[in-house]
Amino acid sequence: MTAPLLQLTNVAKSFGAVRALKGVSFDLQPGEVHALLGENGAGKSTLIKVITGAHPPDSGSLQIAGQPVERLTPASARRLGIAAIYQQPALFPDLSVTENIALALERPSPIRRIRWSERFARALQLLRRVGAHIDPHSEIRELSMPEQQLVEIARALGTGARILIMDEPTASLTRKEVELLYAVIRELRAEGVGTVYISHRLEEIFTVADRVTVLRDGESVGTNKLDEINEAQLIRMMVGREVSTIYPSAQSKPAEIALSIRDLCCQASGVRNVTLQIRAGEVLGLAGLVGAGRTELARVLFGITPADSGEILLRETSVRIGSPRDAVEQGIGYVPEDRRRHGVILEMPVAMNMTMAIHPELFPGTWLRFGAERRLADDYVTRLGVKTASVEAPVASLSGGNQQKVALARWLAAKPKVLILDEPTQGVDVGAKAEIHKLIRRLATEGLAVLMISSDLPEILGMSDRIAVMRGGTVVAELPGKSDAHQVMAAALGQAR
């Protein structure tokens, strides 16, 4: 019997107290397309990083072509014939297509003669193989995202990989380009190349894959042949959880409409024809898979990437939001997904972070009222239960949950009417998560309209008064709070009935 190209057995990986993989087993046969499915946070990315040598496993074993591999690094993974194509192309924007492909295929040497004609011919051949009509002389920055993705695929094929990992490879491709990719996959299958195919689009899985493995909460919950399972069963395997009872119940009734969006579009962000309403005192959960356009919509509403068309109404008054300053002045606050980069300034004290959005009001003219700043910060430390030695302590000294509370305080100090929370409990421990949930519900009770973006499906189901589901840059379904998890996942996957 032919040995699997790839065999992982009981692989575990933790990051601090977070167990990303809990004894996952996975194999890939020659000439097979093995799909890997799971919700956001299920462990897919961590597993791929183990396979490509980016993360060493804490325990378990890994074999390639039947041979045990003890210490896999990205360089040794490439030598062993492993190549990965990611959703966001990892290309050098200021270099040409030819140069980017050459960097992946040629070994570095201090003394070598560069044969540009050979480089060009090789790049052209690989691009034609994937059906890409791209000039190899073009700089990467001149290419569209779909074109960059095709360059990534061509580069991976050029390495002669025997194990190819495709992470959402069609996310930016047109229908015609997707069909070309399918043709390439079929060609690779005939050549004995094994492909690990990651996609949230179930129709693709049933089109290209032979088997599918589903991950949930860092564990493999099942491996099936595609002709032995249907879409509904796959969704059930991916969700498979009951909403926890720790979520606080709604204690207020939604009042007047605080924010209304009509046919909102932003070509730069991929947001198209979004229509939504959020009421004061309501938590509207925004669900969807990676790339659905949730964060992009938040950035449009906050004026980071202003809308091209459509209408935004605040308290039934049409407004133009062309910048974050406009959004703040209109009463919109935004706590972004990456709090460490965009939500707080780690080196600055707690007090300065909390008052950053209201400096013009707190420090009018040339008056520096540090006493007022400290009093306000002390008030929010008490109200939000921020655990800190002092409001003068740097935010970097706080835990993740307390950093998130500081980010929340920054916008609450501005007294917004609408608060957008992007992944508000991402990366915080269970205790801090429960505290943030109670805080969100309390804010809604006080009359704030909350738009909560989350990739944690139980959180969406447990916290939302209503749920809007996004897919492909637009809202595809609106559901009541406490909806069935299968309904939300089916809508996010484009399978809503």
Side-chain angles (χ1 to χ4, degrees):
M1 183 177 177
T2 306
L5 287 174
L6 176 69
Q7 177 84 54
L8 292 93
T9 307
N10 295 327
V11 169
K13 180 66 182 177
S14 296
F15 299 94
V18 178
R19 297 180 64 198
L21 297 176
K22 309 169 187 175
V24 172
S25 294
F26 181 88
D27 70 275
L28 179 68
Q29 301 294 329
E32 178 188 40
V33 179
H34 193 151
L36 188 61
L37 285 183
E39 288 185 82
N40 303 334
K44 303 187 301 295
S45 295
T46 303
L47 184 63
I48 294 311
K49 288 176 180 177
V50 169
I51 295 172
T52 56
H55 288 328
D58 297 333
S59 61
S61 64
L62 187 151
Q63 292 184 348
I64 295 176
Q67 299 300 312
V69 178
E70 296 297 330
R71 295 181 181 177
L72 191 66
T73 65
S76 62
R78 286 192 293 271
R79 288 194 297 269
L80 289 167
I82 300 173
I85 301 164
Y86 296 103
Q87 185 175 352
Q88 296 296 324
L91 302 169
F92 292 95
D94 295 316
L95 298 182
S96 69
V97 172
T98 296
E99 290 168 317
N100 269 276
I101 291 176
L103 281 172
L105 307 187
E106 298 174 4
R107 291 185 178 181
S109 172
I111 303 174
R112 82 177 307 165
R113 182 180 177 185
I114 298 176
R115 301 183 182 278
W116 287 104
S117 59
E118 292 180 8
R119 278 186 170 185
F120 178 85
R122 180 177 57 201
L124 189 61
Q125 178 188 16
L126 290 170
L127 291 168
R128 285 177 175 170
R129 186 177 174 188
V130 298
H133 302 287
I134 301 171
D135 182 359
H137 290 122
S138 300
E139 287 188 1
I140 294 298
R141 67 170 62 256
E142 300 170 356
L143 306 182
S144 66
M145 186 59 70
E147 288 174 328
Q148 291 184 37
Q149 202 143 25
L150 290 171
V151 172
E152 274 273 49
I153 294 169
R155 186 170 70 167
L157 296 181
T159 64
R162 304 301 298 166
I163 299 170
L164 187 61
I165 300 165
M166 293 187 170
D167 187 0
E168 298 286 352
T170 65
S172 303
L173 303 185
T174 64
R175 187 69 245 173
K176 182 179 179 181
E177 290 164 340
V178 169
E179 291 300 330
L180 288 171
L181 176 63
Y182 289 167
V184 171
I185 291 173
R186 287 191 289 270
E187 179 184 337
L188 293 171
R189 178 192 275 137
E191 295 173 359
V193 174
T195 302
V196 180
Y197 193 94
I198 303 170
S199 178
H200 289 305
R201 300 175 178 177
L202 292 189
E203 67 274 13
E204 292 184 7
I205 300 301
F206 283 92
T207 299
V208 301
D210 303 297
R211 287 191 297 159
V212 58
T213 291
V214 177
L215 297 185
R216 188 173 71 232
D217 295 330
E219 299 179 281
S220 48
V221 295
T223 298
N224 297 84
K225 293 181 178 179
L226 264 302
D227 56 6
E228 296 175 352
I229 196 167
N230 58 38
E231 293 176 358
Q233 290 171 316
L234 274 181
I235 292 173
R236 196 173 301 116
M237 290 173 69
M238 291 170 65
V239 178
R241 296 178 295 197
E242 296 298 327
V243 178
S244 171
T245 58
I246 65 171
Y247 297 102
S249 58
Q251 297 176 343
S252 62
K253 291 184 178 180
E256 72 281 357
I257 296 172
L259 172 67
S260 182
I261 311 165
R262 298 175 183 170
D263 293 320
L264 200 67
C265 297
C266 177
Q267 186 175 1
S269 296
V271 172
R272 55 188 183 87
N273 304 114
V274 174
T275 297
L276 270 182
Q277 288 184 344
I278 312 172
R279 293 181 177 273
E282 178 182 47
V283 177
L284 176 64
L286 195 57
L289 300 168
V290 171
R294 298 167 302 161
T295 294
E296 288 77 8
L297 175 60
R299 291 169 63 85
V300 171
L301 292 175
F302 197 62
I304 298 172
T305 49
D308 303 322
S309 61
E311 190 175 18
I312 299 174
L313 294 94
L314 287 164
R315 298 171 295 283
E316 300 184 356
T317 301
S318 182
V319 297
R320 164 68 181 167
I321 299 178
S323 68
R325 180 186 292 274
D326 292 343
V328 174
E329 290 175 351
Q330 295 293 343
I332 298 177
Y334 174 42
V335 180
E337 177 180 12
D338 190 344
R339 63 173 176 269
R340 295 179 67 87
R341 288 184 60 198
H342 304 128
V344 294
I345 300 177
L346 296 171
E347 297 78 12
M348 288 175 60
V350 169
M352 293 182 70
N353 270 279
M354 286 183 169
T355 59
M356 197 173 298
I358 58 166
H359 273 187
E361 295 80 18
L362 195 62
F363 302 130
T366 58
W367 292 97
L368 300 178
R369 300 191 300 160
F370 293 116
E373 181 181 62
R374 282 192 294 273
R375 285 192 296 274
L376 188 145
D378 281 329
D379 180 49
Y380 277 105
V381 165
T382 302
R383 284 180 58 192
L384 305 187
V386 180
K387 294 181 177 63
T388 178
S390 149
V391 294
E392 303 301 327
V395 173
S397 66
L398 275 55
S399 67
N402 286 295
Q403 289 179 9
Q404 190 73 320
K405 291 178 183 179
V406 172
L408 276 168
R410 171 181 172 183
W411 291 110
L412 295 179
K415 296 181 171 52
K417 301 298 182 184
V418 178
L419 183 62
I420 304 169
L421 304 175
D422 195 349
E423 304 289 356
T425 63
Q426 187 178 71
V428 304
D429 61 46
V430 175
K433 182 177 288 191
E435 289 178 6
I436 291 171
H437 288 155
K438 290 177 183 176
L439 174 59
I440 292 170
R441 182 51 67 190
R442 192 176 83 209
L443 294 173
T445 302
E446 294 171 358
L448 193 61
V450 179
L451 177 61
M452 185 186 74
I453 301 168
S454 177
S455 298
D456 184 347
L457 187 54
E459 182 172 68
I460 284 285
L461 298 173
M463 286 294 299
S464 305
D465 297 305
R466 287 187 301 122
I467 301 168
V469 184
M470 289 193 71
R471 175 180 168 86
T474 194
V475 173
V476 295
E478 287 194 41
L479 304 167
K482 316 293 184 184
S483 288
D484 182 77
H486 298 166
Q487 287 180 284
V488 178
M489 183 58 71
L493 291 165
Q495 303 300 318
R497 296 288 186 263

